[in-house]
Amino acid sequence: QQQLEESGGGSVQAGGSLRLSCAAAGFTGTNGCVAWFRQAPGEERKWVARISTWYESTYYSQSVQGRFTISQEHDNGLVNLQMNNLQPADTGIYYCAAVRGTSCPGIERQNDFPYWGQGTQVAVSS
């Protein structure tokens, strides 16, 4: 089963920035959807950003709209999440998830994505 691998997590102060990357070769530039999910301590895993990898349409949760940007690098097989103006509420484990054969509209639940990475920790202090 194809694996995804996240990188780029770390610790920052509020207002800072981080860039996460997901090694997603085989998904970038094809008909599919790649998402970033966040799992805060004690909470369920929720999506924060999604990209249709063929149409390049992007989708954001209300909590990150205007601060996070999801993009893909075809040549490198990466899906990136640029996170600006980070806040303590952004703290959690960030997971990359992917599905083939469908673009992102209507694809939001964890069960919609068969491929997952191991996650990368993001900690934002006030």
Side-chain angles (χ1 to χ4, degrees), residues 29-110:
T30 67
N31 184 27
C33 179
V34 176
W36 284 96
F37 280 74
R38 177 173 68 205
Q39 187 163 21
E43 297 186 11
E44 66 179 82
R45 201 174 296 187
K46 298 177 182 178
W47 74 273
V48 295
R50 298 175 288 149
I51 184 168
S52 295
T53 45
W54 178 255
Y55 299 102
E56 299 205 350
S57 303
T58 57
Y59 308 84
Y60 299 95
S61 68
Q62 285 190 336
S63 64
V64 307
Q65 180 77 46
R67 300 187 297 122
F68 289 14
T69 302
I70 188 171
S71 62
Q72 61 177 344
E73 295 181 34
H74 295 287
D75 291 345
N76 296 321
L78 296 176
V79 174
N80 301 313
L81 185 67
Q82 177 66 41
M83 305 186 295
N84 297 330
N85 191 22
L86 283 159
Q87 300 300 315
D90 296 317
T91 294
I93 301 174
Y94 284 70
Y95 296 90
C96 178
V99 59
R100 284 198 176 93
T102 178
S103 56
C104 290
I107 307 298
E108 298 181 359
R109 302 170 304 170
Q110 292 185 57

Side-chain angles (χ1 to χ4, degrees), residues 8 10 12 14 28-29 58 67 118:
V12 296
T28 53
T58 57
R67 300 187 297 122
Q118 295 300 308

